[in-house]
Amino acid sequence: MAQQEVLFDQRFLDKHAGAIISDPAVAIVELVANAWDAYASAVEITWPNRKSGTQFSIADNGKGMTAQMFERRWRKLDYNRIAEEGGTVTPPTELEEFPPRKAYGRNGRGRHAAFRFSDPYTVRTWRDGIEVTFEVRRGTTSPFEIMLLNKREGVDGHGTVISATSISDGVAMSAEEAREVLGTRFLADPNFRVSVDSVVVTFDDVPRLRLKEVDVDVSPFGSAHLIFVDTVKADRTTQQHGIAWRVINRLVGTPGWVAFDQERVLDGRKSEAKRFQVIVTADFLEDSVLPDWTAFDPQSAAWRAARTAVHDAIRDFLATFTAAKRQETKESVRESLADTVVRLPPGGRARWDGFVDAVVDTCPSITPDEIKQVAEVLANLELSTSKYALIGKLQELPPGDLDALHKILEDWTVALAKDALDEIQTRLKLVEELDRKLRSEASDEVRDLQPLLEKSLWVFGPEFESLEFTSNRGMTTVIREIFGAKDQGSLLRPDFVMLPDGSVGLYSRDSYDERHEVSGVARLVIAEIKRPGVPIGSQQKDQAWKYVKELIHRGYVTRLTNVDCFVLGSQIEVAESGERREWDGRVVIQPLLYNAFIRRAEARMLGLRSKLIEAPFLREHGIDGAAFLNQPTPRQGALDLTR
């Protein structure tokens, strides 16, 4: 059976490339960027004109492609330009004295821009003496189809021409507007010339409102001329943005916001970094340029003076620009949260206003949406009973803990996390209290220990961790409340009351018949606590068995009931450390040391007691974590933690 190939809807390419094939301004920038990445020095664009019947084309004198290169680059979706060709472009042989360029392209989607001007379109490219021509058209079951039209040899030079095969529909942008768009992005390198309809793109094509020129004095060396170019709309990346240094009509190094000495003038993640280009002309630095024109001599006094003066001027310009932007942000935040802020008292409103001003002015890297989120949190804190106490807690957290808190809030709601932590806190406090009182001879078994044990059935095993288990005091109460009878219990065993050597508690879980009605006891737990110093031996085990036999005799424990008897004490006779089974194994009597009981509780809590020993809620109770962790362990037989 033939394997079915992947099929694509006709809308796939539009969604995949987005504005690249829907917006002519984006499309032409991408196509010129491809020429830049081919290390072209000249790009000739013929703009489409329906009235004159002129079809679109773009020709460059870049390094061109072989047939194999074209096939690999054009056919692969999301072509990884960095992995395949690297992040820089070396010049062709005739320009080998020029430094490498930083590549504009990243994912290969820019090649689809030609579809904005024609479908199909042709690509004629040549290098190494061979020219090939391909036709590229949208596919019906695949994003696009490629067909080789022509191949010829003996061709000189190198370059690429992309041509429309028909007059483009819907390209409302004029040639003048195209030059304006390109002028705001591709004027940094004077050796990269772009023309549209034979008119070279210059600074004259950039609207004066988008240009600002400043002369910066660099005494005693000379003066630097700065041109700030504003694209108005931030681009996808910082490519063709940043600071471009020109000396004697030649670009030094690669434009960017990180200076030659690695000083970051502007954070590349900010919108301004993807919007502005600063072209610096400083011919007085000719003797400071390195021989390969990749940078300036760091030891040059002229360069150091120019760098400081120019960078300060750029920061002053950006600060002036962002002042208005910051004010817009403040007004936007206040307007969006007006319904919440109006509920604040005057003092709280003043504090909130001050916070918004401070954050916007001192944290320019925070986006308006993030500021709104934080401002809303602060407004809600003003309305809460705890006020800003939470901020104090957050301020004390190191960065790693803040990241951990963020991860917790991604996976948990605050209410759910609090429920879980409350349960952990309750159990850890319970373990601490049991540990302290089980070891104290002053503890009263009935008033102190049995109520704690009632909350600690989960320590004996997961099968006892159920809300259905109930505690009962006195054999009479056991008979009346658990077994639903009115018989008088044995006076020998007043349950949950002091015995000569300790106390005992009974906890049961009902069983149900097919009609879901109570029909006896499914599980019974008898927990007997012996006074410190009373060793657990056969006599103590017999005593537990007597309780069970009385209940069997009266018919309250049947063969459908499983009974677990735990006898807790500070000592166990060596020969009696094992468990005892009665009544065909349905009754299990297990001796258990206090210390082993606490260790079992710790195991059930996944060792959290030692991990959280410095938790505030434990410190508040005066818990000595080190003393607990180093307590000696009395000898006892093997402890089954799986029960």
Side-chain angles (χ1 to χ4, degrees), residues 9 34 77 113 159 171 204 220 228 268 314 320 342 387 415 431 467 493 515 524 534 541 549 554 634 640 643:
D9 186 84
N34 287 344
L77 289 173
V171 180
D204 292 334
F228 295 90
I314 292 172
T320 302
V342 74
K387 298 297 181 183
V431 172
L467 295 176
R493 187 56 191 91
R515 292 176 295 179
L524 178 66
V534 177
K541 290 182 178 179
K549 286 195 293 184
R554 292 177 176 271
D640 181 10
R643 285 183 53 77

Side-chain angles (χ1 to χ4, degrees), residues 26 29 87 200 394 437 482 493 496 523 539 594 624 628:
V26 176
V29 168
V200 177
L394 293 176
K437 290 187 175 180
I482 295 185
R493 187 56 191 91
F496 223 90
R523 196 74 176 256
Q539 181 179 354
Y594 295 152
D624 186 349
F628 162 73

Side-chain angles (χ1 to χ4, degrees), residues 162-194:
I162 297 176
S163 303
T165 59
S166 61
I167 300 177
S168 305
D169 292 325
V171 180
M173 178 182 287
S174 66
E176 291 75 15
E177 291 171 324
R179 282 193 291 270
E180 177 184 320
V181 169
L182 297 174
T184 60
R185 291 166 174 84
F186 293 103
L187 290 175
D189 188 346
N191 294 299
F192 183 69
R193 181 179 57 85
V194 181

Side-chain angles (χ1 to χ4, degrees), residues 503-543:
S503 70
V504 68
L506 272 70
Y507 314 91
S508 70
R509 187 181 69 215
D510 293 333
S511 65
Y512 300 89
D513 57 22
E514 295 179 353
R515 292 176 295 179
H516 306 290
E517 295 183 357
V518 176
S519 62
V521 174
R523 196 74 176 256
L524 178 66
V525 177
I526 299 177
E528 185 164 3
I529 299 176
K530 296 299 181 184
R531 293 181 183 276
V534 177
I536 300 174
S538 59
Q539 181 179 354
Q540 285 68 34
K541 290 182 178 179
D542 287 341
Q543 191 174 16

